[in-house]
Amino acid sequence: MKKFNFFFVLGLILVSGAAYAEEAFFDDIMVSEEMKQQKEGQSGQMNAVEILQAAPKKLQIDKRRPTMSTVSQNKINQVIYKNAPFGLKWSAGLEEIKALGVRMQKVEVKDSPNTYALYHLPKPVDAFRDVLGSFGNNNALWRIAAYGRYLKDDASASKGVAEYRKYYKILEKKYGNAQEFFSPAIENVEETIPNDDGTTTTSLKQTAQEIGSTGFLQKLISGESTLYATFEGDGIGVTLALLADGDGQTYIIIDYKSLQAAEREDEDLYDAL
């Protein structure tokens, strides 16, 4: 099976709480090859392993849907773009995306120039509270990140796990090549062992916490447990992650990348240099 060579090193170390995360909400959540080769049984917290632990900042924007002119509609119909999530078009430029009736708010994102919060999507999904799109230096949509709504969860993060599983199945069916990566928290449990002479000995036994077990929510918050999956198909790389904030809320993030669009931008840069 084709290797996931397109994945980048993750851009933000897991931290508890959301204050720091608010400042780096769109850092790369694609995973590196080194992360996938980590052996099971290591510490639950993945040292030097980074997953996006953040959410878009609250933006003030006029969300009234703009009127799409006949000229704009004809313009975008003249070019055949590959369909992207939420009714968007891969490799389309800013004006062409606006011609779909989408409103935009510019946001500053590290290593992702020309990124915008997108509103009035052609095919909105109610489960997601914010969608961001990156157009790169070539004014061509190559990345889309969707942030799921906050779910006030229980100690087992049962709502978040159910949401993650739901979208895992959808993405697996649509894109294929699914790979799941779970880093469990390791707990030390005291174990009393009876001796032949009637005395007892106490020893520590390490156990790996399972997905959805009691206390899983807190381990997601602290970063001791991480859960994400990758998919690839038809030139698109996708990462799905389950996260939690300091308020006991879980949410998912889906990060899409058009590998072809990213490669074209790299080729243009190579040619220019």
Side-chain angles (χ1 to χ4, degrees):
M1 185 174 65
K2 183 179 178 183
K3 297 291 184 181
F4 283 73
N5 295 326
F6 57 85
F7 287 124
F8 298 100
V9 177
L10 300 176
L12 181 64
I13 296 176
L14 277 170
V15 293
S16 60
Y20 176 71
E22 285 291 333
E23 298 178 359
F25 63 87
F26 198 59
D27 281 3
D28 203 332
I29 67 172
M30 291 301 188
V31 291
S32 67
E33 196 66 27
E34 289 78 11
M35 290 170 56
K36 298 175 184 178
Q37 295 172 354
Q38 290 197 4
K39 297 179 180 179
E40 295 183 2
Q42 292 178 337
S43 170
Q45 179 147 9
M46 301 165 69
N47 295 326
V49 172
E50 304 154 355
I51 291 181
L52 186 62
Q53 174 80 0
K57 298 177 181 179
K58 190 70 174 180
L59 299 174
Q60 298 299 324
I61 185 172
D62 180 3
K63 294 189 177 182
R64 292 173 297 178
R65 183 177 294 277
T67 302
M68 186 187 304
S69 67
T70 303
V71 174
S72 296
Q73 181 65 72
N74 290 338
K75 178 181 178 182
I76 198 166
N77 286 340
Q78 290 173 4
V79 182
I80 298 176
Y81 292 106
K82 191 173 181 179
N83 291 332
F86 307 104
L88 301 172
K89 303 291 183 180
W90 290 121
S91 296
L94 288 167
E95 292 304 318
E96 292 158 313
I97 294 299
K98 288 179 181 178
L100 295 173
V102 178
R103 279 194 176 274
M104 302 180 177
Q105 173 68 56
K106 183 75 176 288
V107 292
E108 295 300 324
V109 174
K110 179 183 177 182
D111 299 328
S112 290
N114 295 320
T115 294
Y116 294 78
L118 308 178
Y119 302 95
H120 298 309
L121 299 167
K123 294 181 180 180
V125 178
D126 187 60
F128 296 95
R129 67 184 189 275
D130 288 291
V131 175
L132 275 65
S134 288
F135 292 81
N137 294 315
N138 291 338
N139 188 30
L141 182 64
W142 70 278
R143 183 181 186 184
I144 300 169
Y147 297 81
R149 295 190 180 280
Y150 293 112
L151 303 171
K152 191 63 178 178
D153 226 326
D154 55 26
S156 301
S158 59
K159 294 180 182 178
V161 171
E163 192 82 342
Y164 170 88
R165 292 300 183 204
K166 173 183 176 179
Y167 285 92
Y168 182 101
K169 291 179 181 179
I170 294 172
L171 294 170
E172 181 181 30
K173 182 177 181 179
K174 182 170 183 178
Y175 296 98
N177 295 320
Q179 294 190 54
E180 183 173 89
F181 304 93
F182 172 52
S183 175
I186 304 300
E187 298 179 325
N188 294 319
V189 180
E190 286 191 357
E191 185 177 39
T192 301
I193 303 173
N195 300 319
D196 293 337
D197 59 3
T199 61
T200 59
T201 302
T202 301
S203 65
L204 287 178
K205 179 182 179 181
Q206 287 191 329
T207 61
Q209 187 184 56
E210 297 181 357
I211 297 172
S213 61
T214 301
F216 185 54
L217 173 63
Q218 186 56 45
K219 299 306 181 183
L220 286 174
I221 293 173
S222 68
E224 295 175 75
S225 289
T226 56
L227 177 61
Y228 61 93
T230 61
F231 312 84
E232 181 197 4
D234 199 22
I236 308 298
V238 185
T239 298
L240 166 69
L242 174 63
L243 303 171
D245 66 11
D247 295 325
Q249 300 176 121
T250 54
Y251 59 98
I252 62 169
I253 296 177
I254 304 180
D255 189 18
Y256 304 86
K257 286 186 177 181
S258 169
L259 308 181
Q260 296 170 348
E263 288 173 359
R264 281 196 295 270
E265 182 152 336
D266 288 343
E267 289 172 358
D268 291 342
L269 180 60
Y270 180 85
D271 182 64
L273 296 176

